[in-house]
């Protein structure tokens, strides 16, 4: 019995030593495209899917023995948005927004090791939160609308898949569900009709959450 306990203790100690020793850290650059999505019709507003882009740096810390790890990125994001406001089937405003963010996604990643080809191709999945900090933008202004302030921080939860090629090139795609409201309370409503219809429409935007598709390519060193 004592010998079995000693054997188990030795195995546990070896694993405890081997896992940190085998941990791998990689640093790299990343770039790609982002597509913002908001429900097509929100209280009179009709939104277009708008493509933007992102670029920055990433770090990855993996434990090859178990295939688990964490990656984090520091990304610049250009995120345009476009919508039209219709009241009683009449378009009264076309609104464009050009926003710049600093985004920090942090993901738990699992890489699938396939014998014989693991150094050539390794599929992976990942999930985690992202935090986007508004650097600058014209908020939400248009010909007939005065101002609708955006929140300075957008929070989303990402779920994605990807593939690593030759231990260096990573190509991934993810979908992010917005967790925070995109807009703050409007300071004023711009055009207000006698029934306050437009004001009500704009006020309803305070509960809008922005979702996003992201496709990136990264090269690690």
């Amino acid at each position: 019995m004592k010998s079995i306990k000693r054997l188990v203790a030795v195995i546990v100690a070896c694993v405890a030593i081997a896992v940190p020793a085998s941990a791998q850290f990689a640093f790299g650059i990343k770039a790609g495209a982002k597509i913002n999505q908001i429900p097509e019709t929100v209280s009179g507003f009709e939104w277009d899917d708008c493509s933007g882009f992102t670029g920055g740096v990433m770090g990855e810390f993996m434990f090859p023995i178990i295939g688990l790890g964490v990656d984090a990125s520091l990304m610049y994001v250009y995120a345009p948005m476009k919508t039209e406001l219709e009241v009683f089937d009449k378009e009264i405003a076309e609104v464009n927004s050009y926003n710049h963010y600093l985004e920090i996604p942090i993901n738990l990643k699992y890489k699938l090791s396939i014998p014989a080809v693991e150094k050539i191709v390794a599929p992976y999945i990942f999930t985690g939160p992202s935090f986007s900090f508004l650097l600058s933008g014209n908020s939400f202004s248009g010909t007939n609308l005065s101002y609708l302030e955006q929140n300075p921080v957008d929070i989303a939860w990402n779920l994605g898949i990807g593939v690593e090629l030759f231990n260096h090139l990573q190509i991934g795609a993810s979908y992010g569900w917005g967790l925070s409201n995109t807009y703050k309370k409007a300071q004023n409503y711009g055009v207000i009709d006698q029934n306050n219809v437009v004001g009500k429409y704009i006020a309803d935007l305070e509960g809008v959450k922005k979702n996003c598709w992201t496709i990136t390519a990264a090269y690690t060193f």
Side-chain angles (χ1 to χ4, degrees), residues 28-184:
I29 55 176
K30 181 190 290 188
K34 296 182 78 74
I35 302 174
N36 293 322
Q37 288 187 323
I38 288 180
E40 290 186 2
T41 301
V42 178
S43 189
F45 286 87
E46 293 189 2
W47 300 85
D48 295 333
D49 291 347
C50 290
S51 299
F53 60 85
T54 182
V57 296
M58 64 164 288
E60 178 186 84
F61 190 81
M62 298 295 299
F63 297 97
I65 292 178
I66 57 177
L68 283 175
V70 176
D71 75 15
S73 304
L74 184 64
M75 308 291 291
Y76 161 76
V77 177
Y78 169 64
M81 298 179 71
K82 181 179 179 181
T83 183
E84 296 83 31
L85 173 59
E86 293 185 357
V87 178
F88 303 125
D89 296 324
K90 180 181 179 181
E91 181 179 316
I92 67 167
E94 180 178 297
V95 184
N96 297 300
S97 179
Y98 306 99
N99 306 305
H100 306 269
Y101 290 90
L102 179 66
E103 182 181 23
I104 304 176
I106 303 172
N107 293 305
L108 179 66
K109 179 183 286 185
Y110 174 72
K111 287 185 183 178
L112 179 61
S113 178
I114 304 174
V117 297
E118 60 184 351
K119 292 185 178 181
I120 300 175
V121 57
Y124 61 85
I125 59 175
F126 59 94
T127 188
S130 67
F131 306 90
S132 298
F133 302 90
L134 185 65
L135 299 175
S136 65
N138 62 343
S139 293
F140 192 43
S141 58
T143 304
N144 295 315
L145 302 179
S146 295
Y147 190 70
L148 183 63
E149 186 180 359
Q150 295 185 80
N151 273 319
V153 180
D154 264 354
I155 303 173
W157 190 272
N158 301 314
L159 177 63
I161 59 174
V163 61
E164 182 178 77
L165 304 173
F166 305 104
N167 288 332
H168 291 289
L169 179 61
Q170 297 184 7
I171 300 174
S174 66
Y175 190 77
W177 287 269
L179 301 180
S180 59
N181 292 340
T182 300
Y183 298 108
K184 286 184 177 181

Side-chain angles (χ1 to χ4, degrees), residues 160-218:
I161 59 174
V163 61
E164 182 178 77
L165 304 173
F166 305 104
N167 288 332
H168 291 289
L169 179 61
Q170 297 184 7
I171 300 174
S174 66
Y175 190 77
W177 287 269
L179 301 180
S180 59
N181 292 340
T182 300
Y183 298 108
K184 286 184 177 181
K185 183 178 181 180
Q187 292 186 359
N188 58 69
Y189 291 138
V191 175
I192 301 294
D193 69 3
Q194 60 181 354
N195 296 315
N196 197 32
V197 174
V198 179
K200 175 183 181 301
Y201 282 177
I202 297 177
D204 286 347
L205 283 177
E206 295 170 20
V208 165
K209 293 177 173 59
K210 179 174 62 181
N211 302 326
C212 185
W213 283 100
T214 305
I215 302 173
T216 59

